[in-house]
Amino acid sequence: MSLASLTRQESISLDEFRHGMRRLTAGVSLVTTEFEGEKLGLIATSVSSLAAEPPSLLVCVNRSASSHDAFVNAGHFAVNVLREQHDDLCAQFSQSARRAERFQSGEWQTLNTGAPVLADALVSFDCQLEKVVEWNTHSVLLARIVGISLPGEAAEPMIYFNSGFHRLGD
């Protein structure tokens, strides 16, 4: 196969893309921030480590999300990796009808930036936003990790697969 054929852009349908991405299993994170006195959060499955030096990660946020601008303007956020028992918390933050319930359950604290950190998350990364890269419908938030919370023992994570939230044993 030639380099030219590798770089040629093939056209796939949006439906094909969606069906393929449903098979990409991902951990589920609750990304939170505090902006102008308001706590905000959203469920994200597009979170990845970026570099070990300096410790950094990236989060992809849809620009149409109601809290998108607050995350960009706050300049900080926390990535709380959810445990399998956080299914109700996951529903609160992923369903707009349950918006009023957000931050009413769970134990919340802060680390260095003031972003809300879930006390019993698998791990929470307190992040300082370094750069925003816009890519079509999303913003990629590149952040330096300035604090970390590793409460208790490791447990089973909440995962996202086939358009739904699951436990590893499901």
Side-chain angles (χ1 to χ4, degrees):
M1 184 175 284
S2 71
L3 182 58
S5 65
L6 288 174
T7 59
R8 184 180 62 223
Q9 188 170 354
E10 298 294 328
S11 178
I12 64 167
S13 72
L14 182 58
D15 196 43
E16 287 174 309
F17 173 75
R18 287 180 176 155
H19 284 295
M21 292 305 294
R22 286 183 184 132
R23 296 181 183 186
L24 178 64
T25 304
V28 180
S29 296
L30 172 53
V31 184
T32 57
T33 194
E34 183 279 327
F35 181 64
E36 296 182 342
E38 183 180 7
K39 293 178 184 176
L40 301 149
L42 54 85
I43 296 296
T45 56
S46 295
V47 175
S48 180
S49 67
L50 185 58
E53 300 231 1
S56 51
L57 54 74
L58 65 82
V59 177
C60 298
V61 178
N62 193 314
R63 291 198 328 239
S64 69
S66 60
S67 57
H68 172 273
D69 293 348
F71 275 93
V72 171
N73 293 322
H76 64 271
F77 56 86
V79 174
N80 302 280
V81 179
L82 297 182
R83 295 173 183 256
E84 65 179 2
Q85 71 265 26
H86 287 138
D87 47 354
D88 191 56
L89 192 63
C90 192
Q92 289 172 21
F93 281 87
S94 62
Q95 298 170 4
S96 57
R98 296 186 66 185
R99 188 174 309 244
E101 298 174 48
R102 296 177 182 176
F103 298 101
Q104 290 184 357
S105 60
E107 182 182 334
W108 297 94
Q109 57 193 26
T110 59
L111 297 176
N112 299 320
T113 68
V117 171
L118 183 61
D120 68 340
L122 272 176
V123 60
S124 295
F125 300 100
D126 194 23
C127 300
Q128 188 68 43
L129 183 62
E130 296 288 329
K131 185 174 184 176
V132 178
V133 177
E134 292 187 3
W135 182 257
N136 296 320
T137 59
H138 284 68
S139 291
V140 181
L141 310 181
L142 307 174
R144 182 173 36 88
I145 300 170
V146 297
I148 189 167
S149 174
L150 289 160
E153 295 180 23
E156 297 298 325
M158 175 74 64
I159 59 170
Y160 187 79
F161 173 73
N162 202 20
S163 301
F165 300 106
H166 302 277
R167 299 170 186 228
L168 283 177
D170 288 353

